Amino acid sequence: MKIKMAKSYGFCFGVERAIKMAEKTRDAITFGPLIHNEKETKRLEQGFNVFVENDTKNVRENQSVIIRTHGITKQDLATLRQNRAKIIDATCPFVITPQKIVEKMSAENYGIVIFGDKNHPEIKGVMSYAKNPIVVNGVEELLDVQIPKKVALVSQTTKQMEKFQDLAMNLMQRCAEVRIFNTICNATFDNQEAVKELSQEVDVMIIVGGRASSNTKQLGFIAQKYCKDSYLIEDENDLRTEWFVGKNLCGITAGASTPDWIVQKVAKIIEKM
Amino acid sequence: MKIKMAKSYGFCFGVERAIKMAEKTRDAITFGPLIHNEKETKRLEQGFNVFVENDTKNVRENQSVIIRTHGITKQDLATLRQNRAKIIDATCPFVITPQKIVEKMSAENYGIVIFGDKNHPEIKGVMSYAKNPIVVNGVEELLDVQIPKKVALVSQTTKQMEKFQDLAMNLMQRCAEVRIFNTICNATFDNQEAVKELSQEVDVMIIVGGRASSNTKQLGFIAQKYCKDSYLIEDENDLRTEWFVGKNLCGITAGASTPDWIVQKVAKIIEKM
């Protein structure tokens, strides 16, 4: 099987930075999984004694706590500080931006609209900095909601530009002022553009990434549009030979939280098919 | 011929207000035509001694000067004040809004993008309040222009929402922050919605308004989309009988600066056809 890698795929700046911080810190806990990839989380456990902790109450004084790339809520951060944990902030700078924006815009009495998934840790974090935010996952959820005259709009870093634009278009018809902060991450965008291009020229498309990873799912949605034989896998064990029967060219991409060592394993196995 | 009037047409709030101000003032000049309708301008001349003047230099001390609905430039206003004219400001409040916005946003170092026609008096006025504004009449004119990271976007009050949205969509992909001020006037929007609806159900569509009137032209563009037999006329003298041959239902609308007495004359003549 011939393979072709996406022009842009895998680890983004924020994830690479967080992993380096974790490897350097050692003997620490991360509050929530550092990145949305179980294999990588396990590697950090085994190689660097960095464990996942999910409850702020279990954090001891002086314990090194690495804040995950997606950020945490304002309240949890306050609790960690109160408990005198040693905080190593690996929140992606691109996630800190919408946190700061909604805090400032709330203080200036703008209504806050967040384009994102309420249940995603990044959005839980961003929401915690806003006064009464309206959180929607698409324009259809916005239609029946009462909207203030002046609003600020931010996006989850991993969302699609087109859907963000749909929201903006709706708001600008209903509001006197809409402040649009494009907080979609370029890295995400680059990976999305690359998968759009690649999935149009291949017979089968493999997307490697964690099942909880929002940006990996997005890559899957985009690939599916252009190549109906698109498959999301966590690692090489998910590969099924029947996907490749009668196919010539296989495209490969990976989410922003997928380490390259997993991608390389997958590529090697497909090549041999 | 059966006729059907658009649900919303003709004089807007700003024009009605300006005409009342002119009738009440009497013995005055308007700096540039008060509204874009020659017949109405003539009526004000003959009935109220209100004349059009185009050069600030000719304005004497203590002369009553009515500022047109479209507004004038900051510089012209300063000259009038310097010459101690008695200023009666009939600038539409909806036009003052974008003037104030671009002045404030320029002071806060936002790049200014104005959606409008450089040669229209309203836009000349708005431009005069901005530092280095980028003025475009559509998204295609924006593509090769270098855009600052933070921009504020306003619109000529008489423009179409869809094209304003196209501009916003382009900017939000290129900027970190876009402040969108929806300065499109509701009255314009109501007239546009009404002509869109009406032109789909009639055999022939008549749009009454001055040739220099931007919002009248817009109504014409929209009507043409849905009814190929759409005609712009200034008054009843422009009507041509051949337009109505073999037709049953005629729709009528009028621009925001078209006085109702002209519309009623037109309607009566078409009814008798």
Side-chain angles (χ1 to χ4, degrees), chain B residues 244-257:
Chain B
F244 304 91
V245 175
K247 312 286 185 191
N248 289 314
L249 183 60
C250 172
I252 301 177
T253 186
S257 47

Side-chain angles (χ1 to χ4, degrees), chain A residues 221-239:
Chain A
F221 286 137
I222 296 170
Q224 193 70 51
K225 254 199 214 168
Y226 301 99
C227 173
K228 68 175 178 37
D229 295 308
S230 293
Y231 304 100
L232 255 76
I233 61 169
E234 290 224 320
D235 60 28
E236 68 281 6
N237 299 316
D238 291 341
L239 286 170

Side-chain angles (χ1 to χ4, degrees), chain A residues 172 177-180 182, chain B residues 172-173 177-180 182:
Chain A
M172 60 190 280
E177 182 187 356
V178 188
R179 290 179 81 153
I180 299 176
N182 180 358
Chain B
M172 60 191 279
Q173 289 182 59
E177 184 188 354
V178 187
R179 289 179 81 153
I180 299 177
N182 180 357

Side-chain angles (χ1 to χ4, degrees), chain B residues 72-75 99 102 114 123-130 133:
Chain B
I72 58 175
T73 65
K74 197 176 174 176
Q75 294 74 29
Q99 290 176 352
V102 301
I114 301 171
I123 293 307
K124 283 184 187 168
V126 174
M127 284 170 71
S128 73
Y129 287 87

Side-chain angles (χ1 to χ4, degrees), chain A residues 73-103:
Chain A
T73 65
K74 198 177 176 176
Q75 295 74 28
D76 279 338
L77 191 63
T79 308
L80 289 175
R81 284 204 176 119
Q82 232 166 12
N83 295 353
R84 301 195 187 170
K86 231 160 88 185
I87 294 169
I88 297 102
D89 192 355
T91 308
C92 173
F94 296 124
V95 173
I96 291 177
T97 302
Q99 290 177 352
K100 287 203 172 147
I101 288 171
V102 300
E103 189 168 38

Side-chain angles (χ1 to χ4, degrees), chain A residues 9-29:
Chain A
Y9 69 91
F11 269 11
C12 62
F13 158 77
V15 167
E16 222 166 85
R17 174 174 166 273
I19 287 170
K20 273 187 199 146
M21 284 168 92
E23 289 177 349
K24 211 177 122 192
T25 308
R26 289 177 167 263
D27 311 320
I29 59 165

